[in-house]
Amino acid sequence: MSQNVETRVCKNKKCQKVLPAGYKNKYCEACKNKHVEKAKKAVKSIGAGAVTVASIAIVVVKGGKIKL
Ligand SMILES: [Zn+2]
């Protein structure tokens, strides 16, 4: 009995659900969905952050550091 079958579990430490053989994802289906939600929220907050950075940059430029 030396079958080299890897038992893979969900990467979420709080989950640790055993993933089915041949399953390609690191996270189980449920955690993957949660990740998608998180990613979407992250993109939104990054978007808001980018706007903030952009307005700071405008203030710096207006502050006279760059004169054209
Ligand atoms: Zn999971």
Side-chain angles (χ1 to χ4, degrees):
M1 295 290 252
S2 59
Q3 262 189 314
N4 192 18
V5 177
E6 256 183 89
T7 307
R8 302 198 315 141
V9 294
C10 177
K11 279 273 183 180
N12 184 349
K13 282 176 184 166
K14 285 177 189 169
C15 177
Q16 298 276 291
K17 193 174 159 184
V18 177
L19 301 173
Y23 190 80
K24 299 266 174 166
N25 281 296
K26 288 173 183 173
Y27 295 88
C28 72
E29 207 62 40
C31 291
K32 204 177 73 182
N33 291 338
K34 274 184 200 171
H35 262 253
V36 170
E37 299 256 314
K38 266 195 183 179
K40 277 182 188 171
K41 278 183 188 170
V43 167
K44 272 187 189 172
S45 57
I46 287 166
V51 170
T52 309
V53 169
S55 48
I56 289 167
I58 288 163
V59 169
V60 169
V61 172
K62 278 186 179 172
K65 280 204 171 183
I66 299 168
K67 283 184 181 172
L68 292 170

Coordinates of all heavy atoms in Angstrom, one line a residue:
M1 N 0.8 -1.2 0.0 CA 0.0 0.0 0.0 C 0.9 1.2 0.0 O 1.0 1.9 1.0 CB -0.9 0.0 1.2 CG -1.9 -1.1 1.3 SD -3.2 -0.9 0.0 CE -4.6 -0.5 1.0
S2 N 1.5 1.5 -1.1 CA 2.4 2.7 -1.1 C 1.9 3.6 -2.3 O 2.7 4.1 -3.1 CB 3.8 2.3 -1.3 OG 4.0 1.6 -2.5
Q3 N 0.6 3.8 -2.3 CA 0.1 4.7 -3.4 C 0.5 6.2 -3.0 O 0.3 6.6 -1.8 CB -1.4 4.6 -3.5 CG -1.8 3.7 -4.6 CD -3.3 3.7 -4.9 OE1 -4.0 3.6 -3.9 NE2 -3.7 3.8 -6.1
N4 N 1.0 6.9 -3.9 CA 1.5 8.2 -3.6 C 0.3 9.2 -3.9 O 0.3 10.0 -4.8 CB 2.7 8.6 -4.4 CG 3.3 9.8 -4.0 OD1 3.1 10.3 -2.9 ND2 4.2 10.4 -4.8
V5 N -0.7 9.1 -3.1 CA -1.8 10.0 -3.2 C -1.7 11.1 -2.2 O -1.7 10.8 -1.0 CB -3.2 9.2 -3.0 CG1 -4.3 10.2 -3.1 CG2 -3.3 8.2 -4.1
E6 N -1.5 12.3 -2.7 CA -1.4 13.4 -1.8 C -2.8 13.8 -1.2 O -3.7 14.0 -2.0 CB -0.9 14.6 -2.6 CG 0.6 14.9 -2.3 CD 1.1 16.1 -3.0 OE1 1.0 17.2 -2.4 OE2 1.5 16.0 -4.2
T7 N -2.8 13.9 0.0 CA -4.0 14.5 0.6 C -3.9 16.0 0.8 O -3.0 16.4 1.5 CB -4.3 13.8 2.0 OG1 -4.3 12.4 1.8 CG2 -5.7 14.3 2.5
R8 N -4.6 16.7 0.0 CA -4.5 18.1 0.0 C -5.7 18.7 0.8 O -6.8 18.3 0.6 CB -4.4 18.7 -1.4 CG -3.2 18.1 -2.1 CD -2.8 18.9 -3.3 NE -4.0 19.3 -4.1 CZ -4.2 20.5 -4.7 NH1 -3.2 21.4 -4.5 NH2 -5.2 20.8 -5.4
V9 N -5.4 19.7 1.6 CA -6.5 20.3 2.3 C -6.6 21.8 1.9 O -5.6 22.3 1.4 CB -6.3 20.2 3.9 CG1 -6.4 18.8 4.3 CG2 -5.0 20.8 4.3
C10 N -7.7 22.4 2.2 CA -8.0 23.8 1.9 C -6.9 24.6 2.6 O -6.5 24.3 3.7 CB -9.4 24.1 2.4 SG -9.7 25.9 2.2
K11 N -6.4 25.6 1.9 CA -5.3 26.4 2.4 C -5.8 27.3 3.6 O -5.0 27.9 4.3 CB -4.8 27.3 1.3 CG -3.8 26.6 0.4 CD -2.4 26.7 1.0 CE -1.4 26.1 0.0 NZ 0.0 26.2 0.6
N12 N -7.1 27.5 3.7 CA -7.6 28.3 4.8 C -7.4 27.5 6.1 O -7.9 26.4 6.2 CB -9.1 28.6 4.5 CG -9.7 29.5 5.6 OD1 -9.1 29.7 6.6 ND2 -10.9 29.9 5.3
K13 N -6.6 28.1 6.9 CA -6.2 27.4 8.2 C -7.4 27.1 9.1 O -7.4 26.2 9.9 CB -5.2 28.2 8.9 CG -3.8 28.0 8.3 CD -2.8 28.9 9.0 CE -1.5 28.7 8.2 NZ -0.5 29.7 8.6
K14 N -8.4 28.0 8.9 CA -9.6 27.8 9.7 C -10.6 26.7 9.1 O -11.5 26.3 9.7 CB -10.4 29.1 9.9 CG -9.7 30.0 10.8 CD -10.5 31.4 10.9 CE -9.7 32.4 11.7 NZ -10.2 33.7 11.5
C15 N -10.3 26.4 7.9 CA -11.2 25.4 7.2 C -10.6 24.0 7.1 O -11.1 23.1 7.7 CB -11.4 26.0 5.8 SG -12.4 24.9 4.7
Q16 N -9.4 23.9 6.5 CA -8.7 22.6 6.4 C -9.5 21.5 5.8 O -9.3 20.3 6.1 CB -8.2 22.2 7.8 CG -7.2 23.3 8.4 CD -5.8 23.1 7.9 OE1 -5.1 22.1 8.2 NE2 -5.3 24.0 7.1
K17 N -10.5 21.8 5.0 CA -11.3 20.8 4.4 C -10.5 20.0 3.4 O -9.7 20.5 2.6 CB -12.5 21.5 3.7 CG -13.6 20.6 3.2 CD -14.7 21.4 2.7 CE -15.6 20.6 1.8 NZ -16.6 21.5 1.1
V18 N -10.7 18.7 3.4 CA -9.9 17.8 2.4 C -10.5 18.1 1.0 O -11.7 18.0 0.8 CB -10.0 16.3 2.8 CG1 -9.3 15.5 1.8 CG2 -9.4 16.1 4.2
L19 N -9.5 18.4 0.1 CA -9.9 18.6 -1.2 C -10.0 17.3 -2.0 O -9.2 16.4 -1.8 CB -8.9 19.6 -1.9 CG -8.8 20.9 -1.2 CD1 -7.6 21.7 -1.8 CD2 -10.0 21.8 -1.2
P20 N -10.9 17.2 -2.9 CA -11.0 16.0 -3.7 C -9.8 15.8 -4.6 O -9.2 16.8 -5.0 CB -12.3 16.2 -4.5 CG -12.6 17.7 -4.5 CD -12.0 18.2 -3.2
A21 N -9.5 14.6 -5.0 CA -8.4 14.3 -5.8 C -8.6 14.9 -7.2 O -9.6 14.9 -7.7 CB -8.3 12.8 -6.0
G22 N -7.5 15.6 -7.7 CA -7.6 16.2 -8.9 C -8.1 17.6 -8.9 O -8.2 18.3 -9.9
Y23 N -8.5 18.0 -7.7 CA -9.0 19.4 -7.5 C -7.8 20.4 -7.7 O -6.8 20.2 -7.0 CB -9.6 19.5 -6.1 CG -10.4 20.8 -5.9 CD1 -11.7 20.9 -6.4 CD2 -9.8 21.8 -5.1 CE1 -12.4 22.0 -6.1 CE2 -10.6 23.0 -4.9 CZ -11.8 23.1 -5.3 OH -12.6 24.2 -5.1
K24 N -8.0 21.4 -8.5 CA -6.8 22.2 -8.9 C -6.6 23.4 -7.9 O -5.5 24.0 -7.9 CB -7.0 22.7 -10.3 CG -7.1 21.6 -11.3 CD -5.7 21.3 -11.9 CE -5.9 20.1 -12.9 NZ -4.8 19.9 -13.7
N25 N -7.6 23.8 -7.2 CA -7.5 25.0 -6.4 C -6.9 24.7 -5.1 O -7.0 23.6 -4.6 CB -8.9 25.6 -6.3 CG -9.3 26.4 -7.5 OD1 -8.6 27.4 -7.9 ND2 -10.3 26.0 -8.2
K26 N -6.3 25.8 -4.5 CA -5.7 25.6 -3.2 C -6.8 25.7 -2.1 O -6.6 25.3 -1.0 CB -4.7 26.7 -3.0 CG -3.4 26.5 -3.8 CD -2.5 27.7 -3.7 CE -1.3 27.5 -4.5 NZ -0.5 28.7 -4.6
Y27 N -7.9 26.3 -2.5 CA -9.0 26.5 -1.5 C -10.2 25.7 -1.9 O -10.4 25.5 -3.1 CB -9.3 28.0 -1.4 CG -8.2 28.9 -0.9 CD1 -7.3 29.4 -1.7 CD2 -8.1 29.1 0.5 CE1 -6.3 30.2 -1.2 CE2 -7.1 29.9 1.0 CZ -6.2 30.5 0.1 OH -5.2 31.3 0.6
C28 N -10.9 25.3 -1.0 CA -12.2 24.6 -1.3 C -13.2 25.5 -1.9 O -13.0 26.8 -1.9 CB -12.7 23.9 0.0 SG -13.5 25.1 1.1
E29 N -14.2 25.0 -2.5 CA -15.2 25.8 -3.2 C -15.7 27.0 -2.4 O -15.8 28.1 -2.8 CB -16.3 24.9 -3.7 CG -17.0 25.3 -4.9 CD -16.2 25.4 -6.2 OE1 -15.3 24.5 -6.4 OE2 -16.4 26.3 -6.9
A30 N -16.1 26.7 -1.1 CA -16.6 27.7 -0.3 C -15.7 28.8 0.0 O -16.0 30.0 -0.1 CB -17.1 27.0 1.1
C31 N -14.4 28.4 0.3 CA -13.4 29.4 0.6 C -13.0 30.2 -0.6 O -12.8 31.4 -0.6 CB -12.1 28.8 1.2 SG -12.4 28.1 2.8
K32 N -13.1 29.6 -1.8 CA -12.8 30.2 -3.0 C -13.8 31.3 -3.3 O -13.4 32.5 -3.6 CB -12.8 29.2 -4.2 CG -12.0 29.6 -5.4 CD -12.0 28.6 -6.4 CE -13.3 28.5 -7.1 NZ -13.4 27.5 -8.1
N33 N -15.0 31.0 -3.0 CA -16.1 32.0 -3.2 C -15.9 33.2 -2.2 O -16.1 34.4 -2.6 CB -17.5 31.4 -3.0 CG -17.8 30.4 -4.1 OD1 -17.3 30.5 -5.2 ND2 -18.7 29.5 -3.8
K34 N -15.5 32.9 -1.0 CA -15.2 34.0 -0.1 C -14.1 34.8 -0.5 O -14.1 36.1 -0.4 CB -14.8 33.4 1.3 CG -16.1 33.0 2.2 CD -15.6 32.5 3.5 CE -16.7 31.8 4.2 NZ -16.3 31.1 5.4
H35 N -13.1 34.2 -1.1 CA -11.9 34.9 -1.6 C -12.3 35.8 -2.7 O -11.8 37.0 -2.8 CB -10.8 33.9 -2.1 CG -9.8 33.7 -1.1 ND1 -8.5 34.2 -1.3 CD2 -9.8 33.0 0.1 CE1 -7.8 33.9 -0.2 NE2 -8.5 33.2 0.6
V36 N -13.2 35.4 -3.6 CA -13.6 36.2 -4.7 C -14.3 37.5 -4.2 O -14.0 38.6 -4.6 CB -14.6 35.4 -5.6 CG1 -15.2 36.3 -6.7 CG2 -13.8 34.3 -6.4
E37 N -15.1 37.3 -3.1 CA -15.8 38.4 -2.5 C -14.8 39.4 -1.9 O -14.9 40.6 -2.1 CB -16.7 37.9 -1.4 CG -17.8 37.0 -1.9 CD -19.1 37.7 -1.9 OE1 -19.5 38.4 -1.0 OE2 -19.8 37.6 -2.9
K38 N -13.8 38.8 -1.2 CA -12.7 39.7 -0.6 C -12.0 40.4 -1.7 O -11.7 41.6 -1.6 CB -11.8 38.8 0.1 CG -12.1 38.7 1.6 CD -10.9 38.1 2.4 CE -11.2 37.9 3.8 NZ -10.1 37.3 4.6
A39 N -11.6 39.7 -2.8 CA -10.9 40.3 -3.9 C -11.7 41.5 -4.5 O -11.1 42.5 -4.8 CB -10.6 39.3 -4.9
K40 N -12.9 41.3 -4.6 CA -13.8 42.4 -5.2 C -13.7 43.6 -4.3 O -13.6 44.7 -4.7 CB -15.2 41.9 -5.3 CG -15.4 41.1 -6.6 CD -16.9 40.7 -6.7 CE -17.1 39.7 -7.9 NZ -18.4 39.1 -7.9
K41 N -13.8 43.3 -3.0 CA -13.8 44.4 -2.0 C -12.4 45.1 -2.0 O -12.3 46.3 -1.9 CB -14.1 43.9 -0.6 CG -15.6 43.8 -0.3 CD -15.9 43.3 1.1 CE -17.3 43.0 1.2 NZ -17.6 42.3 2.5
A42 N -11.4 44.3 -2.1 CA -10.0 44.8 -2.2 C -9.8 45.7 -3.4 O -9.3 46.8 -3.3 CB -9.0 43.7 -2.2
V43 N -10.4 45.3 -4.5 CA -10.3 46.1 -5.7 C -11.0 47.4 -5.5 O -10.4 48.5 -5.9 CB -10.9 45.3 -6.9 CG1 -11.1 46.2 -8.1 CG2 -10.0 44.2 -7.3
K44 N -12.1 47.4 -4.9 CA -12.8 48.6 -4.6 C -12.0 49.6 -3.7 O -11.9 50.7 -4.0 CB -14.2 48.3 -3.9 CG -15.3 48.0 -4.9 CD -16.6 47.9 -4.2 CE -17.7 47.4 -5.2 NZ -18.9 47.1 -4.5
S45 N -11.4 49.0 -2.6 CA -10.7 49.9 -1.7 C -9.4 50.4 -2.4 O -9.0 51.5 -2.1 CB -10.4 49.2 -0.4 OG -9.7 48.0 -0.6
I46 N -8.8 49.5 -3.2 CA -7.6 50.0 -3.9 C -8.0 51.1 -4.9 O -7.3 52.1 -5.0 CB -7.0 48.8 -4.7 CG1 -6.3 47.8 -3.7 CG2 -5.9 49.3 -5.7 CD1 -5.9 46.5 -4.3
G47 N -9.1 51.0 -5.5 CA -9.6 52.0 -6.4 C -9.8 53.3 -5.7 O -9.3 54.4 -6.1
A48 N -10.4 53.3 -4.5 CA -10.6 54.5 -3.7 C -9.2 55.0 -3.3 O -9.0 56.2 -3.3 CB -11.4 54.1 -2.4
G49 N -8.3 54.1 -2.9 CA -6.9 54.6 -2.5 C -6.2 55.2 -3.6 O -5.6 56.3 -3.4
A50 N -6.4 54.7 -4.8 CA -5.7 55.3 -6.0 C -6.2 56.7 -6.2 O -5.4 57.6 -6.5 CB -6.0 54.4 -7.2
V51 N -7.5 56.9 -6.0 CA -8.1 58.3 -6.2 C -7.5 59.2 -5.2 O -7.1 60.3 -5.5 CB -9.6 58.2 -6.0 CG1 -10.2 59.6 -6.0 CG2 -10.2 57.5 -7.2
T52 N -7.3 58.7 -3.9 CA -6.7 59.6 -2.9 C -5.3 59.9 -3.2 O -4.9 61.1 -3.1 CB -6.8 58.8 -1.5 OG1 -8.1 58.3 -1.3 CG2 -6.4 59.7 -0.4
V53 N -4.5 58.9 -3.6 CA -3.1 59.2 -4.0 C -3.1 60.2 -5.2 O -2.2 61.1 -5.1 CB -2.4 57.8 -4.4 CG1 -1.1 58.1 -5.1 CG2 -2.3 56.9 -3.2
A54 N -4.0 60.0 -6.1 CA -4.0 60.9 -7.3 C -4.3 62.4 -6.8 O -3.6 63.3 -7.3 CB -5.0 60.5 -8.3
S55 N -5.2 62.5 -5.9 CA -5.5 63.9 -5.4 C -4.4 64.5 -4.6 O -4.1 65.7 -4.7 CB -6.8 63.9 -4.7 OG -6.9 62.9 -3.7
I56 N -3.7 63.7 -3.9 CA -2.5 64.1 -3.1 C -1.4 64.6 -4.1 O -0.8 65.6 -4.0 CB -1.9 63.0 -2.2 CG1 -2.9 62.8 -1.0 CG2 -0.5 63.4 -1.7 CD1 -2.6 61.6 -0.2
A57 N -1.2 63.8 -5.2 CA -0.3 64.1 -6.2 C -0.6 65.5 -6.8 O 0.3 66.3 -7.0 CB -0.2 63.0 -7.3
I58 N -1.9 65.7 -7.1 CA -2.3 67.0 -7.7 C -2.0 68.1 -6.7 O -1.5 69.2 -7.1 CB -3.8 66.9 -8.0 CG1 -4.0 66.0 -9.2 CG2 -4.3 68.3 -8.3 CD1 -5.5 65.6 -9.4
V59 N -2.2 67.9 -5.4 CA -1.9 69.0 -4.4 C -0.4 69.3 -4.4 O 0.0 70.4 -4.4 CB -2.4 68.5 -3.0 CG1 -1.9 69.4 -1.9 CG2 -3.9 68.4 -3.0
V60 N 0.4 68.2 -4.5 CA 1.8 68.4 -4.5 C 2.3 69.2 -5.7 O 3.0 70.2 -5.6 CB 2.6 67.0 -4.5 CG1 4.0 67.2 -4.7 CG2 2.3 66.3 -3.1
V61 N 1.7 68.9 -6.8 CA 2.0 69.6 -8.1 C 1.6 71.0 -8.0 O 2.3 72.0 -8.3 CB 1.4 68.9 -9.3 CG1 1.5 69.8 -10.5 CG2 2.0 67.5 -9.5
K62 N 0.4 71.3 -7.4 CA -0.1 72.6 -7.3 C 0.7 73.4 -6.2 O 0.7 74.6 -6.3 CB -1.6 72.6 -6.8 CG -2.5 72.4 -8.0 CD -4.0 72.5 -7.6 CE -4.9 72.3 -8.8 NZ -6.3 72.2 -8.3
G63 N 1.3 72.7 -5.3 CA 2.1 73.3 -4.2 C 3.3 73.9 -4.8 O 4.1 74.6 -4.1
G64 N 3.6 73.8 -6.0 CA 4.7 74.5 -6.7 C 6.0 73.7 -6.8 O 7.0 74.3 -7.1
K65 N 5.9 72.4 -6.5 CA 7.2 71.6 -6.7 C 7.5 71.4 -8.1 O 8.7 71.3 -8.5 CB 7.0 70.2 -6.0 CG 7.1 70.3 -4.5 CD 7.5 68.9 -4.0 CE 7.9 69.1 -2.5 NZ 8.3 67.8 -1.9
I66 N 6.5 71.4 -8.9 CA 6.7 71.2 -10.4 C 6.2 72.5 -11.1 O 5.0 72.8 -11.0 CB 6.1 70.0 -10.9 CG1 6.6 68.7 -10.2 CG2 6.3 69.9 -12.5 CD1 5.9 67.4 -10.5
K67 N 7.1 73.2 -11.7 CA 6.6 74.4 -12.4 C 6.9 74.2 -13.9 O 7.9 73.9 -14.3 CB 7.4 75.6 -11.9 CG 6.9 76.1 -10.6 CD 7.6 77.4 -10.1 CE 7.0 77.8 -8.8 NZ 7.8 79.0 -8.2
L68 N 5.8 74.4 -14.6 CA 5.9 74.2 -16.0 C 6.1 75.6 -16.7 O 5.5 76.5 -16.4 CB 4.6 73.5 -16.5 CG 4.5 72.0 -16.0 CD1 3.1 71.5 -16.4 CD2 5.6 71.1 -16.6
Ligands
ZN1 ZN -12.0 25.9 2.7

